[in-house]
Amino acid sequence: MIRFLFVSLPLLILFLIAIAFGAMNNTPVTVDFLAVQQQVSLALVAALFLALGFIIGVIAMLARQFLLGREVKKLRKQLVKTSTP
């Protein structure tokens, strides 16, 4: 129950705020891709860039976690090597 309150409830609140933001910002904007101009809603552009930023952040976090895991393995090997007579 506590996990629900601290994880699910804030996510639900953020989701509802995002829905309200999208409903209020449905004006079309022109987005220039490399060779194509496209009119899409402002909420869609904001959601796409939010998702892109989230994906880049997760990739950066996973890369750091991978490097830290390798360092932990190296230090454990050193510890075993120094503690063995």
Side-chain angles (χ1 to χ4, degrees):
M1 184 67 181
I2 295 292
R3 182 179 176 133
F4 172 77
L5 291 176
F6 285 115
V7 175
S8 301
L9 194 58
L11 288 176
L12 179 65
I13 291 170
L14 285 174
F15 179 72
L16 292 175
I17 290 171
I19 295 291
F21 177 79
M24 293 170 51
N25 290 304
N26 59 358
T27 53
V29 294
T30 303
V31 178
D32 290 323
F33 297 110
L34 293 176
V36 179
Q37 283 187 347
Q38 184 73 31
Q39 282 212 330
V40 293
S41 75
L42 182 61
L44 179 63
V45 172
L48 288 175
F49 278 101
L50 180 68
L52 181 66
F54 179 78
I55 291 169
I56 290 171
V58 166
I59 290 171
M61 179 193 66
L62 289 176
R64 182 71 178 149
Q65 287 295 110
F66 176 73
L67 292 175
L68 288 173
R70 286 180 51 194
E71 185 176 352
V72 165
K73 284 181 185 179
K74 185 178 104 177
L75 290 173
R76 282 188 180 156
K77 284 181 184 179
Q78 262 184 349
L79 182 65
V80 167
K81 198 181 277 187
T82 58
S83 64
T84 307

